[in-house]
């Protein structure tokens, strides 16, 4: 091994540790332990261009062990990404380019936001799925446009998370041979030795899931071993886990002790480390020879980048439509519309199914699947076939009963770019993938999540299958569109809106039961979140009924009933609260004038979501207890979702 | 094999299928496929007493594949539990004893509510942990009081869920030899053949996790094979997975087809099935010989039940204190108090740590652990040692980075009874175990969940580690106490309340940062949810400040500041919103009089949770965007959580 490499690794170690000490916060353990893995990957293996960090065919890298952020930033800096030494010195400070955990879209060179364990490997699986799928769809003879590897660095914690199991099963089943996961195997977890919590045989586990498994001994110094293992992994048809035996906090007096995981080294320990690594300089001092080592590695990558750019330019000329599909930020919406007539009854999950096909027809790069509920969610694409190891061009992904793994993979697909992915399950099981929706929202990623069977109207399957609090709980999440359309018209409008959304995920919530298609929704301005569905005759209405989803038609019927008694109310449909809340005050005031305090909100879900609109003097017909098992129609009646009850509630207002 | 057994199995099949047909809803596939497993377990293996379904030392059974409810109900009926033929005929009807998925506490003989996949096996692991732990703690020479097996029946879907991986790793690591899981291996999932979604080698997977693996061929008829496998599994020190090869929808024309999973058989198919099984009778007609078969099996179990009752009576006399601990429904609270003085600063996670020790000291049956964050959550018990395979009496469980698996195990421990369990992680990672909190709430189980690091004040770790919407989202969940104490006094009060809570889970939310101990909280009536912390001087206050947790002391300081300008406000501390909402109107009106509309709520979390208290005319200082990475104090200031900002906000009110 060339000594310069070892020195460069030590530079990473010291730089990372010094960043952490200066910040008085961070994780030296992995910085010292995993530096050889990170270095080998970036300098000896991966293709990228620091001047164009979004290069479409770059190798992807996910630091699933997100607490290793200092290591990653040090690496990006030395690889000449737009991250200065001053940025490193501002590690973990408010507004800096170097936040506590990696954030994609904020720090150049960071391919995924990580920190919540297990999700990084899931996103890497998604990226590798995207690579495989897009290559099958878009490469042409002589145009190997999409052809790169996906790497992830995981810690013991990542591999304990259940979502990692879901992810590795997906990768194994799809034989994602270009996915290579490096395991920083230091056998220490935060609370102590890993053996306190685990006796798992990872080799057996990964082989069981259809992976290859390689091990590198003495990973603290064995750079060549790491490189050889990665190169071997590149040759096989299966995804590969490479377990690199490392020492947490290598070189520091606390090496191998769980206390070095999450607290800065003190001055004495820093000194001892520098001595051990034979590191002469001051903090943040980088020897010119080290800069030279990295610069040479980066320079070598330039040729493949330029070759690809040349290839892509030719591809664009030869296949302009395909090139457009691969590069457009949003989805086309031509043909996305409801073909149902007012008065027909159709479940919004069914209406959504047709819009889904329309989107797929207009956008060959659109694909996705379900967590083993495609037939219930109505999310199977009628054309496009199945995505399998043998047919990677297929558009329907059978994610299995793996909601969370699915959601992380969808995020990975959308992070990869080039395609756009959706995934579905029952709304109630959105609880299983909630953490991935949050990460999508944080990453400003336009992942489309679909939750069908959206209320107690689910009926016979009972309370475990009936969402109650899910709507409110997702509406509380920042940067997420929660869309609950009232009928087929609003559903089509929702799909058009989701297709055009660039920087946030959507959760489309659909009904199991049939709902009447309304006249009033035909031109639904859904991007405004809420709108006047049916106006009162009076200048100043006697009250306002607010509703979303399956309760909108009830509100409309209640309005008619109230009119018989000369109670003249406005009906507001509110399919997307957060979009409404983002409207200018004037619009909100127009829809919900402050002076009208007689307000009733109606939704089969937790009332918490409606408090802001009805105020102290209004009423909410919501569901603030769990559901029951029984006929859906009976159940909704028993819970008070009837025209009579709405009318009576309005009458009770002053 | 005795032919009577086969006939009895067919009786179960037909009864289940007829229940489903009558309900026009349900899952015939597993009913037909897994009947031999269920029958063998209940009649040939398990110890229970239908007249005393809560018998403490009964073998536990968890139908993790909860969609097999019809099979379970048929089984319970024939085993003479309090479930009549009319109850079976009312399958899935509103108010019946036979809801769509099994519900514990509602149907006699149902040990866990199931339906959300993967959680059943997790709860079974918890039950087996409880058995092992309590046996080590409470059995005495000659008094093998706690000595039973835990069985679970899982489907392919359960095993795809990531939580099952977390659960099997716990079971393997603790060598829960008395846990036996039967896998209804029919290789079909809802969307089609299992192979579309999985290529996993379960034998290798379970062995990797420290389990034994057995396989039974021809499980549709091979009752003896199933029985022998279970008996073999009972003899080993490791938990065992028994894969029983079955046919989904066995005997029906749709056998082996995914369409038989979730839709009733039509009349023709029902006829064909009856013919195949040589079943002569009408729906719900049960041959006397079949009743006889079950009655004999049940009768045989009586002796062990009576023997145990006798043993327990003696135990109670000899070890009255131990017997009390094992049987009391709530926890003792003697000594549970804050020892901090007003004016001291202490993080509520630290204050909680001391209360946790106090509860543990007063209650030997109290135990729990953390998802690899014990040192950060401050939830390690200082006495009691570690729960390991070698020291099952230990009270600290290292759950590893397995939040969801931990939560399901906690539920299992509390379902088991005899002990009471808590578990902790960062509040932000409560997203990972949310589905288990929901199930605890549904089951009315007093599981104690602890989420520390409760706001953006987490600081440097950044937005992935900073909860924002979690408080609102859990407050929207029915039957859950979300408790966010303001200081050490309210934290101690919270622990006393949680100790006394019988029928709902609690989520205790604690701060990372130090908070001042207040004078005003010393007698905090926390069970009322909210109370007047500091009263205005005026009869009718000029306004009300509402706050919870780390913002309460800010509200108090703002009140003093406002008083300098003769703005005389009341401060309400609201540590537990749902408890407040449950108070009589008169109390709520006393705390928050309708006439006072000048209200400001202050909490570093999604404002949605406070809308109901401030109304249209009040203001909320909340956090409706994600956090940032930086110094916690700087960050909270940047987000507007300062006395000045509160004062200014009050001034803006009319």
């Amino acid at each position: 091994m060339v000594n310069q490499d070892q020195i460069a690794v030590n530079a990473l170690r010291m730089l990372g540790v010094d960043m952490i000490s200066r910040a008085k916060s961070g994780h030296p353990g992995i910085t010292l332990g995993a530096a050889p893995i990170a270095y080998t990957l970036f300098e000896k293996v991966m293709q990228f261009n620091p001047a164009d960090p979004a290069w479409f065919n770059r190798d992807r890298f996910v630091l699933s062990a997100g607490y290793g952020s200092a290591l990653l930033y040090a690496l990006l800096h030395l690889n000449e990404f737009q991250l200065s030494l001053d940025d490193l010195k501002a590690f973990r400070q408010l507004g800096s380019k170097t936040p506590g955990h990696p954030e994609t879209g904020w720090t150049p060179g960071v391919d995924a936001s990580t920190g919540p364990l297990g999700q990084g490997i899931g996103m890497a699986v998604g990226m590798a799925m995207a690579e495989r799928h897009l290559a099958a769809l878009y490469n042409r003879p002589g145009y190997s446009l999409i052809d790169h590897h996906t790497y992830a660095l995981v810690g013991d914690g990542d591999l304990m998370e259940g979502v990692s199991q879901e992810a590795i099963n997906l990768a194994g089943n799809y034989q994602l041979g270009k996915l290579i996961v490096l395991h920083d195997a230091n056998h220490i977890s935060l609370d102590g030795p890993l053996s306190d919590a685990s006796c798992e045989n990872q080799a057996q586990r990964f082989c069981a899931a259809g992976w290859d498994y390689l091990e590198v001994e003495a990973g603290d110094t064995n750079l060549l071993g790491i490189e050889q293992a990665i190169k071997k992994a590149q040759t096989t048809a299966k995804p590969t886990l490479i377990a690199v035996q490392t020492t947490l906090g290598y070189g520091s007096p606390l090496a191998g002790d769980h206390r070095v995981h999450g607290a800065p080294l003190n001055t004495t320990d820093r000194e001892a480390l520098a001595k051990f690594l034979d590191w002469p300089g001051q903090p943040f001092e980088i020897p010119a020879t080290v800069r030279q080592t990295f610069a040479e590695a980066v320079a070598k990558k330039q040729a493949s980048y330029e070759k690809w750019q040349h290839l892509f330019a030719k591809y664009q000329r030869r296949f302009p439509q395909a090139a457009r599909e691969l590069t457009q930020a949003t989805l086309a919406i031509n043909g996305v519309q409801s073909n149902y007539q007012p008065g027909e009854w159709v479940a919004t999950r069914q209406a959504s199914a047709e819009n889904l096909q329309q989107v797929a027809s207009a956008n060959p790069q659109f694909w996705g699947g379900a967590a083993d509920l495609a037939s219930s969610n109505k999310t199977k694409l009628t054309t496009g076939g199945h995505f399998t190891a043998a047919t990677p061009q297929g558009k329907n992904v059978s994610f299995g009963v793996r909601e969370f793994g699915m959601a992380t993979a969808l995020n990975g697909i959308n992070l990869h770019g080039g395609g756009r992915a959706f995934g579905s399950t029952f709304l109630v099981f959105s609880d299983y993938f909630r953490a991935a929706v949050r990460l999508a929202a944080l990453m400003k990623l336009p992942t489309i999540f679909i939750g069908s069977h959206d209320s107690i109207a689910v009926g016979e399957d009972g309370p475990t299958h009936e969402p109650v609090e899910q709507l409110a709980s997702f509406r509380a999440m920042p940067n997420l569109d929660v869309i609950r359309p009232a009928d087929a018209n609003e559903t089509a409008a929702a799909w058009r809106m989701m297709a055009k959304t660039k920087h946030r995920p959507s959760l489309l919530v659909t009904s199991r039961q049939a709902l009447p298609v309304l006249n009033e929704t035909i031109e639904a301005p859904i991007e405004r979140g809420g709108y006047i569905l049916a106006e009162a005759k009076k200048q100043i209405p006697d009250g306002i009924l607010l509703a979303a989803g399956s309760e909108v038609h009830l509100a409309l019927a209640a309005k008619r009933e109230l009119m018989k008694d000369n109670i003249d109310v406005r009906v507001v449909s509110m399919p997307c609260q957060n979009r409404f809340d983002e409207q200018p005050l004037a619009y909100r005031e127009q829809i919900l004038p402050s002076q009208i305090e007689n307000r009733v909100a109606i939704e089969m879900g937790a009332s918490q979501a409606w408090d802001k609109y009805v105020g102290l003097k209004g009423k909410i017909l919501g569901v603030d207890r769990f559901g029951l098992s029984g006929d859906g129609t009976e159940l909704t009646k028993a819970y008070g979702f009837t025209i009579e009850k709405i009318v009576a509630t309005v009458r009770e207002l002053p």
Side-chain angles (χ1 to χ4, degrees), chain A residues 236-487:
Chain A
T236 72
K238 294 179 181 180
T240 305
L241 185 86
I242 303 175
V244 184
Q245 302 301 325
T246 64
T247 306
L248 186 77
Y250 174 79
S252 83
L254 284 171
D257 186 309
H258 65 100
R259 287 171 295 170
V260 78
H261 166 73
L265 297 190
N266 63 31
T267 317
T268 323
D269 288 353
R270 198 270 178 198
E271 267 176 38
L273 172 70
K275 197 170 168 191
F276 180 87
L277 297 179
D278 192 20
W279 197 256
Q282 294 300 305
F284 297 100
E285 193 183 320
I286 297 157
T289 54
V290 167
R291 291 229 179 256
Q292 184 62 23
T293 304
F294 282 97
E296 283 167 13
V298 170
K300 276 190 201 154
K301 302 178 198 298
Q302 192 61 21
S304 74
Y305 173 77
E306 278 163 16
K307 192 172 156 199
W308 188 89
Q309 291 297 343
H310 182 71
L311 184 75
F312 186 54
K314 265 171 59 187
Y315 185 94
Q316 281 179 302
R317 285 192 297 273
R318 180 92 188 270
F319 312 105
Q321 175 58 26
R324 242 193 318 275
E325 286 163 16
L326 273 176
T327 50
Q328 70 195 22
T330 61
L331 295 167
I333 55 169
N334 41 307
V336 180
Q337 61 188 52
S338 165
N339 294 320
Y340 294 95
Q341 297 307 310
E344 283 187 74
W345 285 67
V346 60
T348 51
R349 64 175 167 144
Q350 186 59 54
S352 173
E354 308 208 4
N355 303 138
L356 187 74
Q357 314 301 342
Q358 292 160 352
V359 173
S361 299
N363 300 277
Q365 76 276 30
F366 180 71
W367 61 313
D372 201 38
L373 286 169
S375 49
S376 298
N377 306 146
K378 306 285 181 202
T379 53
K380 192 175 161 186
L381 299 173
T382 47
T383 55
H386 265 82
F387 176 77
T388 69
T391 56
Q393 73 280 9
K395 294 187 183 187
N396 287 289
V397 185
S398 290
F399 284 103
V401 190
R402 304 185 184 103
E403 297 84 3
F404 196 6
M406 169 179 77
T408 58
L410 297 175
N411 287 343
I413 292 170
N414 289 335
L415 278 170
H416 182 280
R420 177 101 169 263
F422 70 91
S424 68
T425 184
F426 286 158
L427 178 60
V428 78
F429 299 136
S430 63
D431 284 347
Y432 278 58
F433 67 42
R434 182 178 176 85
V437 180
R438 184 176 215 260
L439 208 50
L442 240 170
M443 294 191 287
K444 304 191 174 74
L445 215 57
T447 308
I448 294 174
F449 300 97
I450 302 169
S452 75
H453 293 61
D454 70 351
S455 74
I456 54 168
V458 162
E460 285 88 355
D461 272 338
T464 55
H465 284 55
E466 289 166 356
V468 168
E469 73 280 20
Q470 280 71 12
L471 286 166
S473 76
F474 276 106
R475 285 174 182 147
M477 190 179 282
N479 200 40
L480 170 69
D481 284 337
V482 178
I483 316 169
R484 187 167 183 248
D487 69 352

Side-chain angles (χ1 to χ4, degrees), chain A residues 30 34 36-42 45-46 59-67 71-72 75 111-114 117-128 148-156 158-159 164 167-168 171 176-185 206 211 226 230 233-234 239-244 412 415:
Chain A
I30 185 176
I37 304 174
Y39 176 80
T40 306
L41 256 180
F42 272 63
V45 179
M46 280 170 58
D59 287 327
R60 302 304 197 272
F61 175 69
V62 180
L63 182 65
S64 193
Y67 49 91
L71 173 60
L72 179 60
L75 194 63
D111 284 340
S113 296
T114 50
L117 294 178
Q119 293 198 58
I121 184 169
M123 290 188 280
V125 169
M127 291 174 183
H148 66 81
H149 285 82
T150 300
Y151 300 94
L153 175 59
V154 304
D156 292 312
D158 285 299
L159 297 184
S164 72
I168 70 168
L176 303 175
K178 287 160 95 176
L179 172 66
I180 298 173
V181 176
L182 290 119
H183 175 199
D184 173 31
F206 275 82
W211 285 54
I226 297 169
I230 298 171
Q234 289 179 340
T240 305
L241 185 86
I242 303 175
V244 184
L415 278 170

Side-chain angles (χ1 to χ4, degrees), chain A residues 528 579-591:
Chain A
R528 306 212 82 159
R579 291 264 180 169
F580 180 75
D581 298 344
E582 288 161 14
Q583 296 305 306
L585 178 63
Y587 180 78
R588 285 180 283 135
E589 196 51 37
Q590 179 194 331
I591 307 301

Side-chain angles (χ1 to χ4, degrees), chain A residues 22 37 67 194 216 240 285 323 365 393 489 496 501 554:
Chain A
R22 190 180 166 104
I37 304 174
Y67 49 91
L194 181 62
V216 178
T240 305
E285 193 183 320
Q365 76 276 30
Q393 73 280 9
N489 291 325
R496 289 190 295 265
T501 297
L554 284 180

